[in-house]
Amino acid sequence: MQLYELSASELAQGLAKREFSAQEVVEAHLERIGAVEERLKAFLLVTPEEALSVAEEVDRKRAAGEVLPPLAGVPIAHKDLLCTRGVRTTCASRILANFVPPYDATVVARCREAMLPVLGKTNMDEFAMGSSTENSAFQITANPWDLERVPGGSSGGSAAAVAAREAPLALGTDTGGSIRQPASLCGIVGMKPTYGRVSRYGVVAYASSLDQVGPFARNVTDCALLLGVIAGHDPRDATSLPDPVPDYLAEMRKGAAGLKAGLPQELFGEGIDPAVKSTVLAAVDKLQELGVECEEVEMPHVDYSLPCYYIIAPAECSSNLARYDGVRYGHRTSQPVSDIYDLFAKTRAEGFGPEVRLRIMLGTYALSAGYYDAYYLKALKVRTLIKGDFDRAFEKYDVLLSPTSPTTAFKIGEKADDPLAMKLADICTIPVNLAGLPGMSIPCGFVEGLPVGLQIIGKPFGEAEMLRVAYAYEEAEGWEKERPEV
Ligand code: GLN
Protein backbone atom coordinates (compact mmCIF):
# COMPACT_ATOMS: atom_id res chain seq x y z
CA MET A 1 0.00 0.00 0.00
CA GLN A 2 1.37 3.40 -1.03
CA LEU A 3 1.00 6.32 1.38
CA TYR A 4 -1.06 8.24 -1.18
CA GLU A 5 -3.65 5.45 -1.13
CA LEU A 6 -4.46 6.07 2.54
CA SER A 7 -7.45 8.14 3.58
CA ALA A 8 -7.01 11.29 5.69
CA SER A 9 -7.98 9.51 8.91
CA GLU A 10 -5.64 6.58 8.16
CA LEU A 11 -2.85 9.06 7.49
CA ALA A 12 -3.64 10.93 10.72
CA GLN A 13 -3.48 7.67 12.71
CA GLY A 14 -0.25 6.54 11.11
CA LEU A 15 1.33 9.94 11.71
CA ALA A 16 0.26 9.95 15.36
CA LYS A 17 1.79 6.48 15.83
CA ARG A 18 4.90 7.63 13.95
CA GLU A 19 4.59 4.81 11.43
CA PHE A 20 5.66 7.38 8.84
CA SER A 21 6.54 11.07 8.84
CA ALA A 22 4.59 14.02 7.46
CA GLN A 23 7.46 14.64 5.05
CA GLU A 24 7.09 11.11 3.68
CA VAL A 25 3.35 11.65 3.30
CA VAL A 26 3.80 14.92 1.42
CA GLU A 27 6.55 13.46 -0.76
CA ALA A 28 4.34 10.48 -1.66
CA HIS A 29 1.56 12.81 -2.77
CA LEU A 30 3.94 15.05 -4.72
CA GLU A 31 5.24 11.96 -6.53
CA ARG A 32 1.70 10.86 -7.27
CA ILE A 33 0.93 14.32 -8.65
CA GLY A 34 4.07 14.08 -10.78
CA ALA A 35 2.97 10.70 -12.10
CA VAL A 36 -0.65 11.47 -13.08
CA GLU A 37 -0.98 15.21 -13.46
CA GLU A 38 0.01 15.28 -17.11
CA ARG A 39 -3.13 13.27 -17.93
CA LEU A 40 -5.40 14.68 -15.23
CA LYS A 41 -4.61 18.43 -15.09
CA ALA A 42 -6.35 18.90 -11.76
CA PHE A 43 -3.91 21.51 -10.42
CA LEU A 44 -3.28 25.04 -11.64
CA LEU A 45 -0.34 25.35 -9.27
CA VAL A 46 1.57 22.81 -7.18
CA THR A 47 3.33 24.23 -4.10
CA PRO A 48 5.92 21.66 -2.98
CA GLU A 49 8.10 24.01 -0.92
CA GLU A 50 5.16 25.22 1.12
CA ALA A 51 3.83 21.68 1.68
CA LEU A 52 7.23 20.29 2.66
CA SER A 53 7.97 23.13 5.05
CA VAL A 54 4.69 22.55 6.96
CA ALA A 55 5.41 18.80 6.98
CA GLU A 56 8.86 19.44 8.39
CA GLU A 57 7.34 21.61 11.13
CA VAL A 58 4.80 18.87 11.97
CA ASP A 59 7.55 16.24 12.22
CA ARG A 60 9.76 18.49 14.32
CA LYS A 61 6.97 19.39 16.76
CA ARG A 62 5.83 15.79 17.04
CA ALA A 63 9.38 14.65 17.75
CA ALA A 64 9.54 17.29 20.49
CA GLY A 65 6.45 15.72 22.09
CA GLU A 66 4.02 18.57 21.31
CA VAL A 67 0.33 17.74 21.12
CA LEU A 68 -0.75 18.45 17.53
CA PRO A 69 -4.17 18.97 15.92
CA PRO A 70 -5.74 15.69 14.67
CA LEU A 71 -5.09 16.29 10.96
CA ALA A 72 -1.57 17.72 11.36
CA GLY A 73 0.55 16.55 8.44
CA VAL A 74 -2.38 15.38 6.27
CA PRO A 75 -2.12 17.20 2.93
CA ILE A 76 -4.88 19.24 1.29
CA ALA A 77 -5.51 21.06 -2.01
CA HIS A 78 -7.45 24.33 -2.31
CA LYS A 79 -9.76 25.41 -5.12
CA ASP A 80 -8.11 28.34 -6.85
CA LEU A 81 -10.66 30.90 -5.66
CA LEU A 82 -9.60 30.63 -2.03
CA CYS A 83 -7.17 33.45 -1.28
CA THR A 84 -3.77 32.15 -0.26
CA ARG A 85 -1.28 34.68 1.06
CA GLY A 86 1.67 35.05 -1.29
CA VAL A 87 0.39 32.26 -3.57
CA ARG A 88 -1.26 33.03 -6.92
CA THR A 89 -5.06 32.80 -6.88
CA THR A 90 -6.51 32.98 -10.38
CA CYS A 91 -10.14 31.75 -10.27
CA ALA A 92 -9.07 30.07 -13.53
CA SER A 93 -9.50 33.48 -15.19
CA ARG A 94 -7.14 35.50 -17.34
CA ILE A 95 -8.28 38.60 -15.48
CA LEU A 96 -6.68 37.29 -12.26
CA ALA A 97 -3.85 35.35 -13.94
CA ASN A 98 -1.21 37.15 -11.89
CA PHE A 99 -3.17 37.97 -8.75
CA VAL A 100 -1.25 37.22 -5.56
CA PRO A 101 -3.45 37.83 -2.48
CA PRO A 102 -1.89 39.63 0.48
CA TYR A 103 -3.94 37.54 2.93
CA ASP A 104 -5.42 34.08 3.53
CA ALA A 105 -9.09 33.19 3.34
CA THR A 106 -10.31 32.19 6.82
CA VAL A 107 -10.76 28.57 5.69
CA VAL A 108 -7.19 28.54 4.41
CA ALA A 109 -5.97 30.03 7.70
CA ARG A 110 -7.91 27.40 9.67
CA CYS A 111 -6.32 24.61 7.65
CA ARG A 112 -2.95 26.21 8.29
CA GLU A 113 -3.60 26.38 12.06
CA ALA A 114 -4.64 22.71 11.89
CA MET A 115 -1.22 22.13 10.22
CA LEU A 116 -2.42 20.65 6.92
CA PRO A 117 0.33 20.96 4.28
CA VAL A 118 -1.09 22.60 1.12
CA LEU A 119 -0.18 20.72 -2.06
CA GLY A 120 -1.46 23.41 -4.41
CA LYS A 121 -4.37 25.20 -6.05
CA THR A 122 -6.90 23.30 -8.12
CA ASN A 123 -8.54 23.97 -11.46
CA MET A 124 -12.14 25.15 -11.76
CA ASP A 125 -14.62 26.74 -14.11
CA GLU A 126 -13.75 30.42 -14.46
CA PHE A 127 -15.12 32.24 -11.39
CA ALA A 128 -16.97 29.00 -10.50
CA MET A 129 -19.40 29.37 -13.40
CA GLY A 130 -19.99 25.98 -14.95
CA SER A 131 -20.55 22.29 -14.31
CA SER A 132 -17.65 20.64 -16.12
CA THR A 133 -14.44 22.64 -15.44
CA GLU A 134 -14.28 23.20 -19.21
CA ASN A 135 -14.76 26.95 -18.60
CA SER A 136 -11.28 27.25 -17.06
CA ALA A 137 -9.21 29.75 -19.03
CA PHE A 138 -6.14 27.56 -18.59
CA GLN A 139 -6.79 23.83 -18.93
CA ILE A 140 -9.38 21.07 -19.00
CA THR A 141 -9.35 18.59 -16.13
CA ALA A 142 -10.07 14.93 -16.84
CA ASN A 143 -12.26 12.58 -14.83
CA PRO A 144 -10.03 9.93 -13.17
CA TRP A 145 -12.58 7.19 -14.03
CA ASP A 146 -12.43 7.98 -17.74
CA LEU A 147 -9.96 10.52 -19.01
CA GLU A 148 -12.24 11.44 -21.93
CA ARG A 149 -14.92 12.64 -19.55
CA VAL A 150 -15.36 15.74 -17.41
CA PRO A 151 -14.88 15.64 -13.63
CA GLY A 152 -17.93 17.92 -13.17
CA GLY A 153 -17.64 21.45 -11.92
CA SER A 154 -17.04 24.02 -10.99
CA SER A 155 -14.71 22.50 -8.35
CA GLY A 156 -13.62 19.79 -10.82
CA GLY A 157 -9.91 20.06 -10.04
CA SER A 158 -10.45 19.46 -6.32
CA ALA A 159 -12.74 16.48 -6.96
CA ALA A 160 -10.43 14.89 -9.55
CA ALA A 161 -7.37 15.38 -7.33
CA VAL A 162 -9.02 13.60 -4.40
CA ALA A 163 -10.47 10.80 -6.54
CA ALA A 164 -7.11 10.19 -8.25
CA ARG A 165 -5.23 10.04 -4.93
CA GLU A 166 -3.26 13.21 -5.64
CA ALA A 167 -4.61 14.57 -2.34
CA PRO A 168 -6.60 12.94 0.45
CA LEU A 169 -8.59 16.13 1.08
CA ALA A 170 -9.56 19.29 -0.79
CA LEU A 171 -11.73 22.35 -0.40
CA GLY A 172 -14.20 23.63 -2.95
CA THR A 173 -17.12 26.02 -3.15
CA ASP A 174 -20.73 25.35 -4.04
CA THR A 175 -23.09 28.02 -5.38
CA GLY A 176 -25.45 25.72 -7.25
CA GLY A 177 -23.82 22.31 -6.94
CA SER A 178 -20.12 22.88 -7.50
CA ILE A 179 -19.01 20.59 -4.67
CA ARG A 180 -21.73 17.93 -4.80
CA GLN A 181 -21.92 17.45 -8.58
CA PRO A 182 -18.15 16.92 -9.13
CA ALA A 183 -18.03 14.70 -6.02
CA SER A 184 -20.78 12.61 -7.60
CA LEU A 185 -19.11 12.43 -11.02
CA CYS A 186 -15.75 11.52 -9.47
CA GLY A 187 -17.09 8.96 -6.98
CA ILE A 188 -16.11 10.74 -3.77
CA VAL A 189 -17.74 12.52 -0.82
CA GLY A 190 -18.44 16.25 -1.04
CA MET A 191 -20.43 18.52 1.24
CA LYS A 192 -21.95 21.97 0.92
CA PRO A 193 -22.57 23.06 4.51
CA THR A 194 -25.46 25.32 5.62
CA TYR A 195 -25.23 28.91 4.38
CA GLY A 196 -23.45 30.67 7.25
CA ARG A 197 -21.77 27.55 8.66
CA VAL A 198 -18.36 28.21 7.08
CA SER A 199 -16.67 31.60 6.66
CA ARG A 200 -16.39 33.07 3.18
CA TYR A 201 -13.85 35.72 4.12
CA GLY A 202 -11.20 35.62 1.42
CA VAL A 203 -13.31 33.48 -0.92
CA VAL A 204 -13.66 35.18 -4.30
CA ALA A 205 -17.38 35.89 -4.62
CA TYR A 206 -19.59 34.59 -7.40
CA ALA A 207 -23.18 34.85 -6.05
CA SER A 208 -23.02 35.97 -2.45
CA SER A 209 -26.44 34.78 -1.30
CA LEU A 210 -25.61 31.24 -2.48
CA ASP A 211 -21.83 30.63 -2.19
CA GLN A 212 -20.55 28.29 0.50
CA VAL A 213 -17.19 26.54 1.09
CA GLY A 214 -17.03 22.83 1.84
CA PRO A 215 -14.92 19.67 1.99
CA PHE A 216 -14.05 16.91 -0.49
CA ALA A 217 -12.82 13.56 0.85
CA ARG A 218 -12.79 9.88 -0.07
CA ASN A 219 -14.99 8.81 2.84
CA VAL A 220 -17.54 10.23 5.24
CA THR A 221 -15.24 10.22 8.27
CA ASP A 222 -12.67 12.37 6.47
CA CYS A 223 -15.41 14.72 5.32
CA ALA A 224 -16.62 15.11 8.93
CA LEU A 225 -13.06 15.74 10.12
CA LEU A 226 -12.39 18.46 7.57
CA LEU A 227 -15.79 20.08 8.19
CA GLY A 228 -14.82 20.31 11.86
CA VAL A 229 -11.66 22.21 10.87
CA ILE A 230 -13.36 24.83 8.68
CA ALA A 231 -16.78 25.31 10.36
CA GLY A 232 -17.56 28.00 12.89
CA HIS A 233 -18.17 31.68 13.34
CA ASP A 234 -15.87 34.26 11.79
CA PRO A 235 -16.27 37.91 12.78
CA ARG A 236 -14.78 38.85 9.39
CA ASP A 237 -17.76 37.40 7.49
CA ALA A 238 -21.07 39.12 8.27
CA THR A 239 -23.01 36.11 6.92
CA SER A 240 -21.19 33.66 9.18
CA LEU A 241 -23.40 32.39 12.02
CA PRO A 242 -22.37 31.94 15.66
CA ASP A 243 -23.96 28.50 16.27
CA PRO A 244 -21.59 26.16 18.10
CA VAL A 245 -19.79 23.52 16.01
CA PRO A 246 -20.78 19.99 17.06
CA ASP A 247 -18.31 17.13 17.33
CA TYR A 248 -19.20 15.83 13.86
CA LEU A 249 -17.27 12.59 14.31
CA ALA A 250 -19.15 11.66 17.48
CA GLU A 251 -22.49 12.70 15.92
CA MET A 252 -21.79 10.73 12.76
CA ARG A 253 -21.46 7.49 14.72
CA LYS A 254 -24.90 7.72 16.33
CA GLY A 255 -26.41 5.55 13.60
CA ALA A 256 -29.19 6.27 11.16
CA ALA A 257 -31.95 3.98 12.50
CA GLY A 258 -35.09 5.89 13.35
CA LEU A 259 -34.31 8.91 11.14
CA LYS A 260 -36.99 9.93 8.64
CA ALA A 261 -36.15 10.67 5.01
CA GLY A 262 -38.29 12.29 2.32
CA LEU A 263 -37.82 11.65 -1.40
CA PRO A 264 -38.79 14.80 -3.32
CA GLN A 265 -40.57 13.47 -6.41
CA GLU A 266 -39.55 16.51 -8.45
CA LEU A 267 -35.88 15.43 -8.07
CA PHE A 268 -36.56 11.94 -9.42
CA GLY A 269 -38.57 13.04 -12.45
CA GLU A 270 -37.91 14.32 -15.93
CA GLY A 271 -34.30 14.50 -17.06
CA ILE A 272 -32.94 11.96 -14.57
CA ASP A 273 -31.18 9.12 -16.37
CA PRO A 274 -33.17 5.93 -15.59
CA ALA A 275 -30.02 3.99 -14.65
CA VAL A 276 -28.95 6.74 -12.26
CA LYS A 277 -32.44 6.80 -10.78
CA SER A 278 -32.53 3.04 -10.16
CA THR A 279 -29.03 3.13 -8.61
CA VAL A 280 -30.16 5.86 -6.21
CA LEU A 281 -33.38 4.00 -5.41
CA ALA A 282 -31.33 0.90 -4.57
CA ALA A 283 -29.40 3.06 -2.08
CA VAL A 284 -32.73 4.22 -0.63
CA ASP A 285 -33.74 0.56 -0.18
CA LYS A 286 -30.48 -0.08 1.62
CA LEU A 287 -31.11 2.84 3.95
CA GLN A 288 -34.54 1.48 4.68
CA GLU A 289 -32.96 -1.84 5.66
CA LEU A 290 -30.74 0.18 8.00
CA GLY A 291 -33.78 1.61 9.73
CA VAL A 292 -34.23 4.93 7.92
CA GLU A 293 -37.93 5.48 7.23
CA CYS A 294 -38.20 6.67 3.63
CA GLU A 295 -41.26 8.02 1.82
CA GLU A 296 -42.11 10.20 -1.16
CA VAL A 297 -42.77 13.90 -0.70
CA GLU A 298 -44.04 16.55 -3.10
CA MET A 299 -42.29 19.89 -3.41
CA PRO A 300 -44.06 21.59 -6.32
CA HIS A 301 -42.07 24.83 -6.45
CA VAL A 302 -38.76 23.01 -6.75
CA ASP A 303 -39.45 22.69 -10.49
CA TYR A 304 -38.80 26.44 -10.82
CA SER A 305 -35.34 26.29 -9.26
CA LEU A 306 -33.29 26.49 -12.44
CA PRO A 307 -34.93 29.60 -13.95
CA CYS A 308 -34.95 31.22 -10.50
CA TYR A 309 -31.23 30.49 -9.98
CA TYR A 310 -30.29 31.74 -13.44
CA ILE A 311 -31.72 35.16 -12.59
CA ILE A 312 -30.37 35.45 -9.05
CA ALA A 313 -26.86 34.03 -9.60
CA PRO A 314 -26.07 36.17 -12.69
CA ALA A 315 -27.57 39.27 -11.00
CA GLU A 316 -25.24 38.83 -8.02
CA CYS A 317 -22.32 37.94 -10.28
CA SER A 318 -22.77 41.10 -12.36
CA SER A 319 -22.41 43.11 -9.19
CA ASN A 320 -19.56 41.07 -7.64
CA LEU A 321 -17.49 41.02 -10.81
CA ALA A 322 -17.74 44.78 -11.37
CA ARG A 323 -14.58 45.12 -9.28
CA TYR A 324 -12.38 43.61 -12.02
CA ASP A 325 -11.81 46.81 -13.91
CA GLY A 326 -8.09 46.79 -14.64
CA VAL A 327 -7.51 49.45 -11.99
CA ARG A 328 -7.70 47.57 -8.71
CA TYR A 329 -7.08 43.94 -9.59
CA GLY A 330 -5.34 41.76 -12.06
CA HIS A 331 -5.14 42.16 -15.81
CA ARG A 332 -5.15 45.58 -17.50
CA THR A 333 -5.33 45.99 -21.27
CA SER A 334 -2.21 47.14 -23.06
CA GLN A 335 -4.23 48.44 -26.04
CA PRO A 336 -4.47 52.22 -26.44
CA VAL A 337 -7.58 53.55 -24.66
CA SER A 338 -9.55 56.76 -25.17
CA ASP A 339 -10.92 57.15 -21.64
CA ILE A 340 -11.55 55.26 -18.41
CA TYR A 341 -14.66 53.50 -19.77
CA ASP A 342 -12.70 52.31 -22.76
CA LEU A 343 -10.05 50.98 -20.35
CA PHE A 344 -12.72 49.05 -18.41
CA ALA A 345 -14.33 47.68 -21.57
CA LYS A 346 -11.10 46.53 -23.23
CA THR A 347 -9.71 45.06 -20.00
CA ARG A 348 -12.88 43.12 -19.27
CA ALA A 349 -13.31 41.90 -22.84
CA GLU A 350 -9.75 40.54 -22.77
CA GLY A 351 -9.88 39.20 -19.22
CA PHE A 352 -13.21 37.36 -19.01
CA GLY A 353 -14.11 34.20 -20.90
CA PRO A 354 -17.40 33.79 -22.80
CA GLU A 355 -19.46 32.17 -20.02
CA VAL A 356 -18.51 34.86 -17.50
CA ARG A 357 -19.29 37.61 -20.02
CA LEU A 358 -22.66 36.01 -20.75
CA ARG A 359 -23.61 35.88 -17.09
CA ILE A 360 -22.53 39.46 -16.41
CA MET A 361 -24.74 40.59 -19.29
CA LEU A 362 -27.69 38.45 -18.18
CA GLY A 363 -27.40 39.73 -14.63
CA THR A 364 -27.04 43.35 -15.68
CA TYR A 365 -30.15 42.97 -17.82
CA ALA A 366 -32.17 41.37 -15.00
CA LEU A 367 -31.23 44.19 -12.63
CA SER A 368 -31.77 47.08 -15.03
CA ALA A 369 -34.59 49.60 -14.63
CA GLY A 370 -37.77 48.29 -16.18
CA TYR A 371 -36.73 44.63 -15.91
CA TYR A 372 -35.83 44.48 -12.22
CA ASP A 373 -39.40 43.80 -11.05
CA ALA A 374 -40.20 41.39 -13.85
CA TYR A 375 -37.09 39.27 -13.39
CA TYR A 376 -35.05 39.84 -10.25
CA LEU A 377 -37.89 40.59 -7.85
CA LYS A 378 -39.98 37.75 -9.28
CA ALA A 379 -37.07 35.35 -8.85
CA LEU A 380 -36.69 36.38 -5.21
CA LYS A 381 -40.38 35.61 -4.64
CA VAL A 382 -40.05 32.21 -6.29
CA ARG A 383 -37.01 31.55 -4.11
CA THR A 384 -39.18 32.14 -1.02
CA LEU A 385 -41.74 29.63 -2.32
CA ILE A 386 -39.02 27.03 -2.89
CA LYS A 387 -37.69 27.60 0.61
CA GLY A 388 -41.27 27.16 1.88
CA ASP A 389 -41.44 23.70 0.26
CA PHE A 390 -38.29 22.69 2.13
CA ASP A 391 -39.54 24.16 5.43
CA ARG A 392 -42.72 22.11 5.15
CA ALA A 393 -40.84 18.93 4.23
CA PHE A 394 -38.52 19.35 7.19
CA GLU A 395 -41.43 19.52 9.60
CA LYS A 396 -41.77 15.82 8.87
CA TYR A 397 -38.34 14.57 7.79
CA ASP A 398 -34.80 14.72 9.15
CA VAL A 399 -33.18 14.51 5.70
CA LEU A 400 -34.22 14.46 2.04
CA LEU A 401 -32.69 12.07 -0.50
CA SER A 402 -32.23 12.40 -4.27
CA PRO A 403 -29.74 11.80 -7.06
CA THR A 404 -26.92 14.38 -6.91
CA SER A 405 -26.56 14.65 -10.67
CA PRO A 406 -29.08 13.56 -13.31
CA THR A 407 -26.36 11.72 -15.27
CA THR A 408 -22.95 10.19 -14.77
CA ALA A 409 -19.87 12.03 -16.09
CA PHE A 410 -20.33 13.20 -19.69
CA LYS A 411 -17.70 13.41 -22.43
CA ILE A 412 -15.42 16.44 -22.66
CA GLY A 413 -16.98 18.74 -25.28
CA GLU A 414 -20.33 16.90 -25.26
CA LYS A 415 -22.32 19.73 -23.66
CA ALA A 416 -19.93 22.60 -24.29
CA ASP A 417 -22.10 24.03 -27.09
CA ASP A 418 -25.42 23.28 -25.42
CA PRO A 419 -25.80 25.71 -22.52
CA LEU A 420 -29.21 24.35 -21.51
CA ALA A 421 -28.00 20.75 -21.27
CA MET A 422 -25.03 21.95 -19.22
CA LYS A 423 -27.27 23.87 -16.86
CA LEU A 424 -29.53 20.85 -16.34
CA ALA A 425 -26.54 19.15 -14.69
CA ASP A 426 -27.42 21.07 -11.50
CA ILE A 427 -31.13 20.41 -11.45
CA CYS A 428 -30.99 18.44 -8.18
CA THR A 429 -28.42 20.57 -6.37
CA ILE A 430 -29.52 24.17 -7.10
CA PRO A 431 -32.73 24.08 -4.98
CA VAL A 432 -30.57 23.34 -1.92
CA ASN A 433 -28.50 26.52 -2.40
CA LEU A 434 -31.62 28.61 -3.01
CA ALA A 435 -32.94 27.42 0.37
CA GLY A 436 -29.57 27.91 2.13
CA LEU A 437 -29.54 24.27 3.26
CA PRO A 438 -26.69 21.79 3.71
CA GLY A 439 -26.34 19.00 1.16
CA MET A 440 -23.81 16.28 0.51
CA SER A 441 -23.06 13.69 -2.13
CA ILE A 442 -21.78 10.20 -1.36
CA PRO A 443 -20.91 7.41 -3.80
CA CYS A 444 -23.78 4.91 -4.16
CA GLY A 445 -22.81 2.70 -7.10
CA PHE A 446 -21.80 2.68 -10.74
CA VAL A 447 -23.45 2.83 -14.14
CA GLU A 448 -21.27 1.49 -16.95
CA GLY A 449 -18.14 1.94 -14.84
CA LEU A 450 -18.93 5.54 -13.90
CA PRO A 451 -19.79 6.61 -10.34
CA VAL A 452 -23.25 7.69 -9.20
CA GLY A 453 -23.86 9.97 -6.21
CA LEU A 454 -26.64 9.98 -3.62
CA GLN A 455 -27.57 13.47 -2.42
CA ILE A 456 -28.48 13.86 1.25
CA ILE A 457 -30.09 17.22 2.07
CA GLY A 458 -30.34 18.44 5.67
CA LYS A 459 -32.16 21.00 7.78
CA PRO A 460 -30.36 24.27 8.51
CA PHE A 461 -27.34 23.19 10.59
CA GLY A 462 -28.40 19.57 10.07
CA GLU A 463 -24.93 18.43 8.93
CA ALA A 464 -24.78 15.92 11.80
CA GLU A 465 -27.95 14.08 10.68
CA MET A 466 -26.69 14.03 7.08
CA LEU A 467 -23.40 12.52 8.26
CA ARG A 468 -25.26 9.87 10.29
CA VAL A 469 -27.14 8.73 7.20
CA ALA A 470 -24.04 8.93 5.01
CA TYR A 471 -21.85 7.03 7.44
CA ALA A 472 -24.39 4.26 8.09
CA TYR A 473 -24.78 3.78 4.33
CA GLU A 474 -21.04 3.82 3.69
CA GLU A 475 -20.40 1.29 6.46
CA ALA A 476 -23.02 -1.02 4.95
CA GLU A 477 -21.98 -0.69 1.29
CA GLY A 478 -18.33 0.31 1.15
CA TRP A 479 -18.43 1.94 -2.30
CA GLU A 480 -15.65 4.25 -1.22
CA LYS A 481 -13.25 1.33 -1.53
CA GLU A 482 -13.59 1.34 -5.35
CA ARG A 483 -10.80 3.32 -6.93
CA PRO A 484 -10.13 4.59 -10.43
CA GLU A 485 -7.02 3.44 -12.25
CA VAL A 486 -5.24 6.48 -13.54
N1 GLN B 1 -23.14 25.09 -12.45
C1 GLN B 1 -23.71 26.16 -11.67
C2 GLN B 1 -23.35 27.48 -12.29
O1 GLN B 1 -22.68 27.48 -13.28
C3 GLN B 1 -23.24 26.07 -10.24
C4 GLN B 1 -21.84 26.49 -10.09
C5 GLN B 1 -21.38 26.56 -8.69
O2 GLN B 1 -21.94 25.93 -7.79
N2 GLN B 1 -20.35 27.37 -8.47
O3 GLN B 1 -23.71 28.52 -11.80
Side-chain angles (χ1 to χ4, degrees):
M1 182 73 102
Q2 304 284 338
L3 285 179
Y4 63 75
E5 296 277 356
L6 299 180
S7 70
S9 31
E10 288 166 341
L11 287 169
Q13 277 165 23
L15 285 164
K17 291 191 202 140
R18 304 208 204 170
E19 285 165 10
F20 38 76
S21 70
Q23 289 189 68
E24 286 168 321
V25 170
V26 167
E27 273 159 16
H29 284 91
L30 289 171
E31 271 169 38
R32 175 71 177 162
I33 291 171
V36 301
E37 192 52 17
E38 206 179 287
R39 275 162 291 157
L40 213 62
K41 297 196 170 70
F43 283 85
L44 288 172
L45 183 71
V46 181
T47 51
E49 295 83 15
E50 155 138 16
L52 286 166
S53 86
V54 173
E56 187 267 326
E57 186 190 345
V58 169
D59 291 337
R60 184 165 31 82
K61 291 195 165 157
R62 200 176 318 265
E66 280 189 40
V67 179
L68 301 180
L71 287 175
V74 178
I76 191 164
H78 292 319
K79 185 176 184 179
D80 204 25
L81 51 46
L82 303 175
C83 283
T84 40
R85 178 161 36 95
V87 176
R88 207 171 65 213
T89 299
T90 68
C91 291
S93 180
R94 280 190 303 276
I95 214 155
L96 287 178
N98 296 313
F99 175 59
V100 178
Y103 68 100
D104 278 331
T106 295
V107 288
V108 169
R110 290 204 173 153
C111 289
R112 209 184 282 281
E113 278 156 34
M115 304 184 83
L116 283 83
V118 180
L119 295 168
K121 307 292 295 285
T122 57
N123 196 26
M124 53 184 283
D125 286 300
E126 184 175 6
F127 282 102
M129 297 173 197
S131 308
S132 67
T133 313
E134 291 166 293
N135 293 339
S136 167
F138 304 123
Q139 64 197 33
I140 293 179
T141 300
N143 188 311
W145 293 92
D146 177 348
L147 299 178
E148 290 182 359
R149 292 177 188 268
V150 302
S154 65
S155 315
S158 286
V162 171
R165 273 87 186 143
E166 291 181 301
L169 298 171
L171 289 182
T173 58
D174 189 314
T175 304
S178 280
I179 293 174
R180 290 159 289 159
Q181 185 257 14
S184 172
L185 269 46
C186 289
I188 60 169
V189 177
M191 184 196 278
K192 173 206 128 38
T194 311
Y195 187 79
R197 177 74 290 182
V198 178
S199 167
R200 297 178 307 164
Y201 175 76
V203 181
V204 177
Y206 162 17
S208 303
S209 77
L210 301 158
D211 298 340
Q212 183 63 194
V213 184
F216 285 102
R218 287 195 294 265
N219 62 46
V220 177
T221 306
D222 292 1
C223 173
L225 279 167
L226 183 53
L227 178 64
V229 172
I230 60 172
H233 182 240
D234 177 10
R236 285 172 159 158
D237 173 0
T239 63
S240 146
L241 290 165
D243 303 50
V245 179
D247 177 347
Y248 290 116
L249 221 46
E251 291 293 324
M252 176 190 90
R253 297 194 179 112
K254 285 185 178 163
L259 291 176
K260 289 203 174 73
L263 275 54
Q265 287 315 286
E266 293 72 15
L267 303 184
F268 283 87
E270 210 189 323
I272 310 295
D273 178 295
V276 167
K277 179 172 166 175
S278 59
T279 307
V280 169
L281 287 175
V284 171
D285 286 345
K286 188 76 202 179
L287 281 169
Q288 249 165 332
E289 275 172 40
L290 297 169
V292 180
E293 284 175 48
C294 303
E295 65 182 36
E296 295 180 357
V297 55
E298 276 177 22
M299 300 178 65
H301 298 101
V302 159
D303 280 340
Y304 300 100
S305 298
L306 228 53
C308 175
Y309 175 89
Y310 277 103
I311 297 291
I312 292 174
E316 295 182 11
C317 121
S318 72
S319 159
N320 273 327
L321 272 61
R323 74 191 71 179
Y324 307 106
D325 53 12
V327 178
R328 286 168 294 184
Y329 299 94
H331 176 77
R332 178 191 293 214
T333 185
S334 46
Q335 298 178 56
V337 297
S338 49
D339 59 21
I340 185 85
Y341 297 107
D342 196 31
L343 170 76
F344 292 165
K346 287 190 170 128
T347 295
R348 288 164 68 82
E350 288 170 9
F352 291 132
E355 185 66 25
V356 176
R357 288 204 293 266
L358 174 70
R359 299 213 188 178
I360 291 172
M361 286 190 278
L362 280 175
T364 305
Y365 181 84
L367 289 176
S368 55
Y371 297 104
Y372 185 96
D373 289 5
Y375 293 105
Y376 184 64
L377 210 60
K378 188 66 137 293
L380 291 185
K381 290 177 181 170
V382 174
R383 183 178 189 174
T384 304
L385 293 174
I386 293 168
K387 170 132 190 337
D389 280 2
F390 279 105
D391 289 345
R392 269 186 298 284
F394 280 122
E395 283 169 13
K396 209 163 159 201
Y397 305 107
D398 300 295
V399 294
L400 301 173
L401 304 173
S402 80
T404 306
S405 159
T407 65
T408 53
F410 43 92
K411 287 252 168 77
I412 292 171
E414 186 183 325
K415 299 192 182 180
D417 299 323
D418 187 346
L420 189 61
M422 187 68 91
K423 287 175 174 71
L424 286 170
D426 300 309
I427 196 161
C428 298
T429 47
I430 276 177
V432 179
N433 301 73
L434 288 171
L437 300 169
M440 72 189 289
S441 182
I442 60 168
C444 73
F446 290 82
V447 170
E448 290 170 13
L450 296 170
V452 176
L454 167 71
Q455 179 172 233
I456 307 169
I457 305 168
K459 295 177 181 176
F461 291 94
E463 286 84 358
E465 285 77 20
M466 287 158 46
L467 289 165
R468 285 168 63 185
V469 173
Y471 184 64
Y473 177 78
E474 182 182 85
E475 289 273 277
E477 288 288 20
W479 289 115
E480 87 287 357
K481 294 191 185 72
E482 303 289 326
R483 48 197 58 189
E485 276 179 41
V486 186

